[in-house]
Amino acid sequence: MGIARLLKLASAPLALTVALALAVAACKTPDLEGPVVSRPALATPTATVEAEIPESPGPTVEPESPGISDEAIKIGVIADASAGNAVTGGSESAWLAMRAWAQAVNSTGGLGGRDVEIVLFDSNVFDHRAAIQEACDSDIFALVGSYALFDGDGVDLLNDESCRLPDFPAAALSPARRESPVTFVSNPTSNELWQAGAARFLSERYPQSSAALGTVILDLPVAFYRAQRDIEAATAGGFGFAFQTTADVVGEDYDALASALLEEGARGIFWSADSQRLLELLRAWERLMAQLPTLALEAPAEEEPAGTVEGDAAIAPEEESTPAPEEGTDPETEDAPVEPAEDDAVVEDEPTGGEFFVLCSTDCYSQSWVEQAGELETNIWVSIGMLPFEEPGDNVELVRYVLFLREEVDEEAEVDLIGLSSWASALLFEEAVNRAMFTSGGGLTREMVIEAAGTITEWDGRGLHGPTNPAEGIPSTCFMLVSPTPSGWIRRHPTTQGTLDCDPDNLVELVESATLGIDPSRRDSTDSS
């Protein structure tokens, strides 16, 4: 199967569909049995016959960490793997990506000369604490590539001295997981620093609409904490909100929500919740607009920025565009605009809803979502922090992820940003292991890996995302914007293929929402240590 076809077939929801997760399917107990990793017996010093007083034993061999032998290293991954299709489409992609990564590593000699074995721990949405406890009690060396909705449950167990598993998840969704001193993410999210680049760009493009947006928060703690940080960062980026409300996870009346948006004068939607719920709201909005065509929101002529034609048809080249940190970039041509292919022409294929616009986060970026959203006549923008699958270019890791997933694991597997994020954090784990072995002269323990990860302050996932500081949990300043069309995703900002907007001002420091979801006593104890 050719890489072009593989990329074209890429599809998967990018976030856990929390609504359907509540109707959890019957729990499947994963087969966690694998080959027993034998431990070499340690030599016991024996006193000589002539000695009247037992001799002091000489230096002892350092105890071997669980989950590792001379031949193999066992890696655990936690995922909501038995909670039904709506959840497995996101969380299970992390599990599949880790299997693909293990295949890739083993095909080149293993990790530190050891074969990688992957063990699944099913958190089943609501059983994450139990999954953490099971991982701590199991014969594994580290947790890598995990992705689970309630990943903050059980963090105290993870950080307890009896466990302290090196932890490299695809993402830390909860505030508590981001605070964990043994947790390192390739493209981290910080409780104190948040991405506001998309809000900055769109507030300049649509100044009047950006001042009167509506947002809906799903009634779940993890969604609430994220939404509050999103809103504070977006406000710092130039957004203003005319309407905010909370929606039930199931059974919400989205026609009523659409009417409320109209009544409160919202001229756009800022969305950071489940992508399927956004589709329901947008369909309700379009039904409402069809009934009231004279109230459709039109863009004032003076708001149209210079360099555009036919409304949103074309965008002026962005001076702040920064090349994505990947090999093969030509500095002499990196700012040259790339003409879109005829089938993806923005003028022909991009729907528009006039001045009214919608901004959704990474959750909306998937092939299945674009197939549905592309038919809507709404001006939708989606912000992502990694290079898109539509632009593999010279990015070796992007191609390796797709090939090993499809060729070695499952040819029908979904290709999405959750899986790619698991892959990126696995690469970070590789880097930490290699540093630990180099520093120790070949030794490898859990604590060595944790210490080595604490030295990785400059990292770009081998070109998969913008520069980050995993050791301190500092996220990348980089982002890009894409839009759904009937023919697929199209790049909107920056306009040059292979680039990201990496303006340092894209990150803003949070104040009011920075401590939400964090146990103050835990933070105080961590700081004092």
Side-chain angles (χ1 to χ4, degrees):
M1 181 181 293
I3 184 61
R5 184 182 175 194
L6 292 179
L7 294 172
K8 184 176 181 181
L9 291 175
S11 63
L14 295 180
L16 304 174
T17 305
V18 295
L20 296 181
L22 296 178
V24 179
C27 179
K28 301 176 183 177
T29 302
D31 181 9
L32 301 181
E33 296 297 327
V36 176
V37 180
S38 61
R39 296 170 179 262
L42 301 181
T44 303
T46 304
T48 59
V49 176
E50 297 80 9
E52 296 180 359
I53 300 176
E55 297 181 355
S56 299
T60 59
V61 178
E62 185 175 353
E64 199 173 71
S65 288
I68 190 171
S69 69
D70 291 338
E71 295 78 28
I73 180 169
K74 287 187 176 182
I75 303 301
V77 54
I78 297 178
D80 297 323
S82 65
N85 291 335
V87 172
T88 60
S91 192
E92 192 177 4
S93 64
W95 157 237
L96 296 176
M98 287 303 300
R99 291 170 55 191
W101 169 75
Q103 292 278 2
V105 170
N106 293 341
S107 69
T108 57
L111 185 59
R114 300 173 174 89
D115 283 340
V116 175
E117 300 176 8
I118 303 297
V119 179
L120 171 66
F121 298 95
D122 184 5
S123 50
N124 196 25
V125 181
F126 302 108
D127 298 331
H128 192 269
R129 184 178 181 84
I132 287 284
Q133 184 65 68
E134 186 177 6
C136 291
D137 295 340
S138 297
D139 184 27
I140 63 170
F141 182 80
L143 288 171
V144 184
S146 303
Y147 190 93
L149 182 60
F150 297 112
D151 65 1
D153 295 348
V155 169
D156 57 323
L157 301 175
L158 181 65
N159 293 314
D160 190 84
E161 288 299 327
S162 63
C163 184
R164 284 187 66 81
L165 281 167
D167 179 36
F168 295 76
L173 301 182
S174 64
R177 192 64 167 265
R178 298 177 200 131
E179 292 286 298
S180 166
V182 301
T183 299
F184 306 90
V185 181
S186 181
N187 192 7
T189 302
S190 165
N191 287 324
E192 296 86 14
L193 295 173
W194 213 258
Q195 177 62 247
R200 290 178 65 244
F201 174 79
L202 290 173
S203 63
E204 294 174 1
R205 182 173 181 80
Y206 304 115
Q208 292 187 10
S209 295
S210 295
L213 297 178
T215 189
V216 179
I217 303 169
L218 293 187
D219 191 15
L220 283 175
V222 65
F224 173 80
Y225 298 142
R226 171 181 171 179
Q228 295 307 309
R229 289 178 168 87
D230 278 334
I231 291 170
E232 182 177 346
T235 302
F239 281 0
F241 292 90
F243 176 77
Q244 296 184 44
T245 190
T246 301
D248 291 334
V249 176
V250 293
E252 184 62 47
D253 185 345
Y254 285 92
D255 287 307
L257 274 182
S259 297
L261 282 168
L262 183 62
E263 291 172 3
E264 295 297 327
R267 304 197 61 163
I269 297 173
F270 176 64
W271 191 265
S272 61
D274 174 73
S275 60
Q276 293 302 310
R277 305 287 80 72
L278 175 58
L279 283 177
E280 293 187 41
L281 178 58
L282 293 181
R283 288 166 181 155
W285 177 262
E286 291 199 352
R287 287 193 296 269
L288 181 60
M289 290 297 98
Q291 296 171 8
L292 305 169
T294 59
L295 297 182
L297 303 174
E298 299 296 338
E302 63 271 19
E303 285 190 27
E304 196 62 44
T308 64
V309 295
E310 295 187 27
D312 289 329
I315 306 173
E318 309 299 337
E319 294 181 358
E320 73 274 19
S321 301
T322 302
E326 59 176 327
E327 297 180 0
T329 301
D330 184 354
E332 296 182 0
T333 61
E334 62 185 13
D335 291 329
V338 177
E339 295 296 331
E342 182 177 353
D343 289 342
D344 294 330
V346 179
V347 174
E348 294 295 329
D349 291 340
E350 183 180 357
T352 178
E355 174 64 8
F356 188 93
F357 75 90
V358 176
L359 173 61
C360 184
S361 62
T362 302
D363 296 348
C364 290
Y365 179 71
S366 72
Q367 195 59 36
S368 60
W369 200 84
V370 74
E371 291 172 358
Q372 302 174 74
E375 301 299 328
L376 297 173
E377 296 184 359
T378 304
N379 184 21
I380 304 172
W381 301 69
V382 175
S383 177
I384 62 177
M386 305 177 83
L387 289 173
F389 290 108
E390 291 78 14
E391 301 176 11
D394 296 324
N395 194 311
V396 174
E397 290 302 328
L398 186 61
V399 175
R400 286 180 74 226
Y401 163 64
V402 176
L403 287 179
F404 275 94
L405 181 67
R406 289 290 179 81
E407 299 294 334
E408 302 294 335
V409 177
D410 184 354
E411 64 180 8
E412 301 297 328
E414 305 287 3
V415 179
D416 62 18
L417 287 187
I418 291 177
L420 186 59
S421 296
S422 291
W423 182 283
S425 284
L427 299 181
L428 180 65
F429 173 68
E430 282 188 60
E431 177 69 16
V433 168
N434 291 335
R435 290 193 185 194
M437 294 186 67
F438 177 81
T439 302
S440 66
L444 189 63
T445 65
R446 290 173 172 175
E447 198 59 39
M448 288 178 184
V449 172
I450 293 172
E451 291 177 0
T455 69
I456 305 176
T457 57
E458 296 181 5
W459 177 254
D460 65 4
R462 298 183 189 171
L464 291 176
H465 53 71
T468 67
N469 180 345
E472 300 177 50
I474 299 176
S476 171
T477 65
C478 302
F479 80 101
M480 66 173 291
L481 290 164
V482 295
S483 288
T485 75
S487 58
W489 291 107
I490 59 170
R491 171 185 278 269
R492 298 292 301 278
H493 169 77
T495 55
T496 303
Q497 185 169 336
T499 65
L500 300 171
D501 180 338
C502 298
D503 191 318
D505 290 337
N506 290 336
L507 283 187
V508 297
E509 186 173 358
L510 301 177
V511 178
E512 296 179 359
S513 62
T515 59
L516 289 177
I518 298 173
D519 183 349
S521 62
R522 182 185 302 162
R523 168 172 282 197
D524 292 342
S525 62
T526 301
D527 292 341
S528 62
S529 63

